Amino acid sequence: MDKIRRTKIVDVLQRTDYGAEVNVKGWVRTHRSSKVVDFIALNDGSTINNVQVVVDPATVDAELLKQVTTGACISATGKLVESQGQGQNSEIQCTDLQLLGACGSDYPMQKKGQTFEYMRQHAHLRLRTNTFGAVMRIRHNMAIAIHKYFHDHGFFYFHSPIITASDAEGAGEMFQVTTKKLDDLKKDENGKVNYSDDFFGKMTSLTVSGQLEGELGATALGQIYTFGPTFRAENSNTPRHLAEFWMIEPEMAFIDLDDLMDTEEDFIKYCVRWALDNCKDDLAFLNKMIDNTLIERLQGVVSEDFVRLDYTEGINILEEAVKAGKKFEFPVSWGMDLASEHERFLVEEHFKKPVIMTHYPKGIKAFYMKLDEDGRTVQGTDVLFPQIGEIIGGSVREESYDKLVAQIEERHIPMKDMWWYLDTRRFGTCPHGGFGLGFERLILFVTGMQNIRDVIPFPRTPKSAEF
Ligand code: 4AD
Ligand code: MG
């Protein structure tokens, strides 16, 4: 007999050429047996849907059939037939069943209804579950949507470095990169470590943002975007922070604040629409199992204009709410950084739509943001989303050399490390701006998952770097 090529289950379920012989391979979700017939629900990761493999137990070795347990890997060949059962078109009348990999009864993903906490401890196997399969397929689709959006809009994919000697956000929460042996680190007479003999000859770290290099790209190529891993050693054990996350950072020459907000809104709507159009089965599954307002929320974001709100106005609204009896954990006053509870109040309770907040006090934002004329606020924008809070942070950049230097001095950022960045303002400076989208925050929103650790295959968080 000629070898039959494997068909993916996503394709088998589309086919209607009943009578054809097909082969599928995958992992057993469930196996129900009776005297006369066995039903095996098989999944190969190509879709959330299982194909039903129908087996006549009289035709298969009983010992083999016993090993077809949840989690086992099998190959099934047989005739494609129209399904009698509801909810699927085709099933397979099995004529040849092979066990590729047995699965012991200690398989950790066996039971239904395990907690996400439990699954995180088994992140190497949780990918085999329905939920994580759906999340990972959506994650892939979002990456494709992002590249497509920017490519179609004339942005160039620009690769910023991962190892860097600058602290782009001025946050100082970086992971150091060194080949020095930490056990025999020597300090000089000033108590400082000398890095001149380290691999790069200076202190280096993993990047917290590709923006500064992105600005070099945009002020040469016009429009670029980065899409890469980003590292932050902030010790925030929250459902929205990772120590290693992926960020998309477009940067555009010749734009102003309105152009920036238009792009932010258009881009994120495009991504959400892409999910609605291209991830229907997975979204339907998540809507049913995880959050039954998910699809409605996604449709809402796509169809509504985002609110554009001054920070100062936002603070007024929050203060009014406090006067009217609203309780926040953190007090509200002009000049403070909004906490997630404040952002979510504005988005979920007050406006009931996404908000783009602008004109933040300069003291709570990074040095590179363009100063407003009043000298108190900057042209920074945060896009605030239901359930998530901040999903995008961006700004128009300070293009004036003198003002930028003043900002750097005010914040005591070592100027000598910034010479290459300042050169953009010395040689043909131009108005420009951009933003950063946290990829995992987007995936959280689009999947309805509650914890950022559950939308990346192998999360990195404080005290956790397993797998
Ligand atoms: O607001 P952030 O810190 O802005 C920047 O890094 C700028 N350089 C962006 C730019 O203008 N090019 O980060 C941008 C976004 C946040 O809005 C959030 O979605 C995400 O990155 N983010 C994180 N996501 C997961 N874990 C963390 N620890 C994150 N920190 C920021
Ligand atoms: Mg931010």
Side-chain angles (χ1 to χ4, degrees), residues 147-181:
H147 284 298
K148 183 155 169 48
Y149 179 88
F150 287 121
H151 178 70
D152 288 354
H153 287 78
F155 288 66
F156 300 108
Y157 184 22
F158 187 74
H159 295 98
S160 48
I162 290 174
I163 298 175
T164 174
S166 81
D167 176 358
E169 291 303 299
E173 291 167 324
M174 306 181 79
F175 292 101
Q176 222 177 306
V177 174
T178 180
T179 51
K180 279 182 175 282
K181 301 283 169 284

Side-chain angles (χ1 to χ4, degrees), residues 150 168-169 208-212 215 226 230 232 245-252 255 257 260-261 263-265 267-268 306 337 343 355-360 364-366 368-369 378-385 388-397 433-439 441-442:
F150 287 121
E169 291 303 299
V208 294
S209 159
Q211 177 198 320
L212 302 193
E215 286 185 50
T226 70
T230 311
R232 297 200 183 170
F245 63 100
W246 288 66
M247 186 153 56
I248 297 95
E249 300 191 83
E251 192 71 29
M252 296 159 276
I255 60 150
L257 185 59
L260 178 68
M261 290 191 284
T263 306
E264 289 172 345
E265 183 168 344
F267 165 62
I268 203 156
F306 295 3
D337 209 353
E343 296 171 342
V355 171
I356 309 185
M357 191 174 263
T358 57
H359 302 291
Y360 285 85
I364 57 170
K365 290 290 181 190
Y368 48 70
M369 295 195 182
V378 289
Q379 296 192 8
T381 68
D382 276 3
V383 180
L384 312 178
F385 255 39
I388 306 294
E390 177 189 340
I391 194 164
I392 282 179
S395 81
V396 178
R397 317 304 184 191
F435 61 88
L437 167 74
F439 189 52
R441 301 241 176 126
L442 174 68

